Amino acid sequence: MTPATIYGFSPAFGLPTSGPFALKLLCWCALNGVPYEFAVENNPAKGPLKKSPWAVIDGETVADSDAIIALLARRHGIPPPVADTAPAAAGRGWKMAAEEGLHQIFEWELIMLPEGSAWFRELLRSEMSAPLAALVHRMSRRSLGRQLHARGLVRLGPEKIAARGRDLLDALDLWLGVHDFVEGPAPGIADATMYGMLAPMLGWPMDTPVARHAKTLPAIGAWSDTIARRCGFAPG
């Protein structure tokens, strides 16, 4: 069986990819023993949905991390997640909190805040000419700003955005203080999803407020280290 080829953003912050949804996908594959090959592609416009990640599986190009996971699960005989326990049902809520809440804050801190924006600008400069990097940086910030405004986040203002992020992480840290994993006794799709959003924030050196707070939370830190070890993303 030929391994799937997964396309995603380049590595960063000690992780195999800097893209949260690509990292979710790689994490899920590693946790479930699904072989894959990772190919760096920093231009999401090359994908079917013009978003990262996408994958080629048995010659078929598939976009959207959940759709890719569903196809790989069927291909490898992995049962689909079933919310038949309270922790598993709660895991669905945490997955949504990661993808619909924390992801917006991730983008806000990485692209829109000055500290993250400076890193993003330098990343672009390492891959293209300075004038083109400046243009892409400016267009990316403008486009993302419009998206986050349409979804309501930027209308809150920086202090309330940070407060919302801290509140979500405090709740997650409390949950992980009494559960081994986001989905309870074993890691599942919610763990892979949350790891994809949180691991870059825990690893990046920029001093952004929600990432800074995440690094102070012991249960989240211990859980992230465990997931990284299980996935082979960290030594030890």
Side-chain angles (χ1 to χ4, degrees):
M1 188 177 291
T2 304
T5 300
I6 296 170
Y7 293 84
F9 293 122
S10 58
F13 318 125
L15 297 166
T17 177
S18 55
F21 287 96
L23 186 57
K24 160 195 170 181
L25 181 52
L26 300 189
C27 180
W28 181 88
C29 287
L31 289 172
N32 288 279
V34 174
Y36 65 87
E37 296 176 352
F38 182 68
V40 172
E41 179 49 74
N42 288 318
N43 183 1
K46 293 183 178 181
L49 296 180
K50 303 193 184 305
K51 297 174 67 176
S52 181
W54 66 94
V56 176
I57 305 170
D58 295 332
E60 179 184 0
T61 301
V62 185
D64 181 79
S65 59
D66 282 335
I68 296 167
I69 286 171
L71 180 56
L72 288 174
R74 291 195 299 271
R75 187 176 187 244
H76 291 273
I78 299 169
V82 178
D84 56 355
T85 66
R92 291 194 176 186
W94 284 117
K95 180 177 182 292
M96 185 174 293
E99 294 183 330
E100 300 300 327
L102 187 58
H103 182 234
Q104 291 186 60
I105 294 169
F106 171 101
E107 292 181 319
W108 165 258
E109 294 211 332
L110 185 63
I111 308 298
M112 304 304 294
L113 287 187
E115 301 87 347
S117 179
W119 177 87
F120 179 54
R121 184 172 56 249
E122 290 306 312
L123 174 67
L124 293 173
R125 285 177 176 171
S126 71
E127 298 181 347
M128 58 190 73
S129 66
L132 182 58
L135 176 62
V136 172
H137 181 260
R138 186 165 57 252
M139 292 176 61
S140 298
R141 281 173 51 85
R142 183 182 301 119
S143 175
L144 180 61
R146 288 172 178 167
Q147 293 177 44
L148 294 178
H149 184 271
R151 300 180 71 178
L153 185 74
V154 298
R155 305 181 200 193
L156 298 175
E159 291 185 6
K160 290 184 178 179
I161 293 172
R164 177 174 290 188
R166 289 192 295 267
D167 286 347
L168 191 159
L169 294 181
D170 286 342
L172 178 63
D173 195 66
L174 181 62
W175 178 260
L176 289 172
V178 294
H179 297 85
D180 291 334
F181 298 99
V182 176
E183 292 193 25
I189 182 62
D191 292 271
T193 304
M194 190 64 78
Y195 183 80
M197 303 298 155
L198 262 181
M201 299 179 79
L202 291 168
W204 73 40
M206 300 85 74
D207 187 23
T208 58
V210 179
R212 182 194 318 131
H213 185 67
K215 294 170 186 177
T216 70
L217 299 175
I220 284 177
W223 162 83
S224 178
D225 289 345
T226 298
I227 295 294
R229 286 195 298 270
R230 288 197 175 208
C231 291
F233 296 161

